[in-house]
């Protein structure tokens, strides 16, 4: 339990049916926020929301489809009365060496990871501007800072999120809307479970803190950036990686 008060705030976390997004939603709910859970399957998202409680609601949305993202933001605002904290977390990988990446794998990753965040931010920022309060947090990756063999499409999407974050931070600062990015390192989720054991071992040996991160390590950073304690922080990339990328 962390000592952050988000009572009265509504938070939308994309990709929150499992993994990092789920931990973020849980942590924001523990801090008092009402959370909107999002995954591709509405029934699964509703189940997760029911487990979280605190007025949480579940929504089905494929974030790689712009019209669905715009409709999602409208639905959250309508059903919850507001949208104060937007966490663009949903993300996918389609790893391959650059020469072997197919156009459709490039497009799928860019659309799910980057265009989705732009569309959600555009939709959510209108209400935040009217209310003169907002937090937008984009989940990027250390790979967006460092690059990675076999992840050209993913790294480009994550580096793009950093440019999006800084530009939105500059455009919306005067309306008291803060936009930051969190860059996780190597976190234990389904995404990393799919890696080859040798790759996992090699990667963990590079981490100064000598362990993989947990989803809640990332969630606590997001809760901090959502809170009033972070009210003078915008346009930043907070790296949560056990020292990997320093
Ligand atoms: P997981 O694969 O464990 O979970 C992904 C989540 O995103 C699920 O809730 C999934 O929901 C949802 N999702 C995937 N595609 C879509 C889509 N098109 N529309 C809506 N929801 C979608 O990922 P992680 O928790 O590991 O990663 C979360 C974020 O953190 C990602 O952006 C990832 O790039 C980033 N990250 C992860 C790192 C790690 O080491 N794990 C490191 C650095 C960054 P469902 O299946 O129900 O649709």
């Amino acid at each position: 339990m962390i000592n952050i008060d988000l009572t009265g705030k509504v938070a939308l976390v994309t990709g929150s049916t499992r993994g990092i997004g789920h931990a973020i939603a849980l942590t924001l709910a523990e801090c008092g926020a009402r959370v909107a859970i999002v995954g591709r399957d509405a029934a699964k998202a509703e189940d997760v929301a029911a487990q979280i409680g605190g007025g949480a609601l579940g929504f089905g949305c494929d974030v790689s489809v712009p019209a669905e993202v715009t409709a999602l933001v409208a639905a959250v605002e309508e059903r919850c009365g507001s949208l104060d904290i937007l966490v663009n977390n949903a993300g996918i990988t389609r790893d391959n060496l650059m020469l072997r990446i197919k156009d459709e794998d490039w497009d799928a990753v860019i659309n799910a990871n980057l265009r989705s965040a732009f569309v959600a931010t555009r939709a959510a920022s209108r209400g935040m501007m009217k209310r003169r309060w907002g937090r937008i947090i984009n989940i990027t990756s250390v790979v967006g800072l460092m690059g990675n063999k076999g992840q050209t499409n993913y790294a480009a999407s994550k580096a793009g999120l950093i440019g999006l974050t800084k530009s939105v931070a500059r455009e919306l600062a005067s309306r008291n809307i803060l936009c930051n990015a969190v860059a996780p390192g190597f976190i234990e989720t389904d995404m990393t479970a799919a890696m080859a054991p040798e790759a996992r071992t090699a990667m963990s040996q590079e981490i100064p803190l000598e362990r993989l991160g947990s989803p809640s390590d990332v969630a606590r950073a997001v809760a901090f950036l959502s809170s009033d304690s972070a009210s003078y922080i915008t346009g930043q990339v907070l790296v949560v990686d056990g020292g990997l990328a320093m």
Side-chain angles (χ1 to χ4, degrees), residues 84 125 132 144 204 221 233:
D84 309 295
S125 58
R132 302 246 162 199
S204 29
I233 301 175

Side-chain angles (χ1 to χ4, degrees), residues 15 17-18 20 40 61-63 89 140 154 158 185 187 189 192:
T17 52
R18 55 196 162 87
I20 293 171
R40 284 163 291 193
C61 171
D62 180 346
V63 298
N89 165 81
T140 175
Y154 181 77
K158 294 301 185 180
I187 311 296
T189 67
T192 46

